Amino acid sequence: MLNILTTLCLLISINANTHTLEKAEQAFLDQKFAVALENYAYVYYQRDALEITTNQEKEILTRIIYAAWKTQQYDAVSYFTNDLAGRIVQHPSNPNIDLNIESVVRIIEVLTTSEKKPSEALLSIAQKPFDEHALQSILIANAHFNNRNYRRFEEYYAEYCTAAPCAPIDVELPELKSEKIARNMSYIFPGLGQMYANNYASGIGAITLSGVGIYFTGKAVLEDRVIDAGLIGFLLFYRYYSGNIQSAQLSVQKHNQQLLQQHYQSYANSLQSELALLDQTIYHSILHLPFD
């Protein structure tokens, strides 16, 4: 009786694991990568009960790595990449499958660790070779663009252009505003610096508030309310006056960043299109692995 119950429990467990594998595959097809990662990982740790093949183990690991990358779980990418590398070395099977899996994982490694340059060149995926140096340049340039570090973006974009055809960046930059001029104009009267930086709403508000402060300070002086005049002048006018100078500088910085972003946006879009294309290539390459 005990043996019958044990066998029944084992069959139920196997059936549940099989259902989990089907759920993981469907989630992967639907690009619900968090769900796919959770279910594939469960199946992988139950692989002995399912008696899956060596190739299936590798393919499941590849999908786990991709899903972990898509959900930004980079520790999982590293952990399962090492696991997969060991299995490819210890249990070679179909060389073509192993080559394709290694290609996928190598590129994901580079995408995940963009500041680290692996020593080996990337292999091709779906007959589309990708130069590792070009990919590295795309990643770092994209990061600099997102951080609004446009000079560094231009540097890495130029590096990318040495490895792949691309449109050269227009060297003629838009006319930028001067922080020094904005600061000096705010010294003259609060709000002028913001107006210079095309931040008209803030400039008009500053001018209005400064005018109100001057009016009430002058009125208190004329009425011999020296203490009131001092408090109003210091708290409302002087403190606001000094802060307004910094505000004018920030307005210029924001204005210049917007101009530079517009100037470099099309070049950044081209790099992001390359990354999106690579992502789709990886995804479809994984889908076409002989998952048996």
Side-chain angles (χ1 to χ4, degrees), residues 137-194:
S137 299
I138 288 176
L139 289 165
I140 299 176
N142 191 52
H144 282 306
F145 182 82
N146 291 335
N147 291 329
R148 299 179 179 179
N149 191 346
Y150 300 115
R151 299 297 185 187
R152 297 285 284 169
F153 166 79
E154 186 173 344
E155 176 186 337
Y156 279 98
Y157 182 89
E159 281 196 25
Y160 167 69
C161 289
T162 63
C166 66
I169 290 180
D170 185 0
V171 295
E172 186 175 348
L173 292 174
E175 185 175 349
L176 303 179
K177 301 287 185 179
S178 167
E179 291 184 35
K180 183 178 180 179
I181 292 176
R183 187 172 59 250
N184 290 337
M185 291 182 73
S186 289
Y187 277 129
I188 296 171
F189 198 87
L192 293 181
Q194 285 92 328

Side-chain angles (χ1 to χ4, degrees), residues 31-163:
Q31 299 191 29
K32 297 178 179 177
F33 297 115
V35 177
L37 176 60
E38 179 183 353
N39 286 280
Y40 274 132
Y42 178 83
V43 170
Y44 180 66
Y45 288 121
Q46 298 294 325
R47 60 189 179 277
D48 292 336
L50 279 170
E51 298 182 354
I52 60 178
T53 66
T54 301
N55 277 338
Q56 277 184 307
E57 290 183 16
K58 296 173 184 177
E59 290 150 16
I60 288 173
L61 276 169
T62 306
R63 295 188 180 207
I64 287 174
I65 292 165
Y66 182 82
W69 169 52
K70 293 297 288 183
T71 53
Q72 299 183 353
Q73 299 190 44
Y74 300 131
D75 289 342
V77 170
S78 178
Y79 176 83
F80 286 107
T81 297
N82 291 333
D83 199 354
L84 176 60
R87 291 190 172 279
I88 290 176
V89 172
Q90 295 171 13
H91 306 286
S93 51
N94 186 328
N96 293 326
I97 293 176
D98 288 345
L99 178 66
N100 194 284
I101 287 175
E102 281 189 300
S103 301
V104 170
V105 175
R106 289 285 294 121
I107 290 186
I108 290 176
E109 279 187 287
V110 176
L111 290 168
T112 303
T113 57
S114 62
E115 294 298 333
K116 299 176 182 177
K117 296 188 177 183
S119 58
E120 300 176 9
L122 290 171
L123 301 172
S124 64
I125 288 184
Q127 309 303 314
K128 181 177 174 60
F130 243 86
D131 178 81
E132 181 179 331
H133 180 71
L135 176 57
Q136 198 76 39
S137 299
I138 288 176
L139 289 165
I140 299 176
N142 191 52
H144 282 306
F145 182 82
N146 291 335
N147 291 329
R148 299 179 179 179
N149 191 346
Y150 300 115
R151 299 297 185 187
R152 297 285 284 169
F153 166 79
E154 186 173 344
E155 176 186 337
Y156 279 98
Y157 182 89
E159 281 196 25
Y160 167 69
C161 289
T162 63

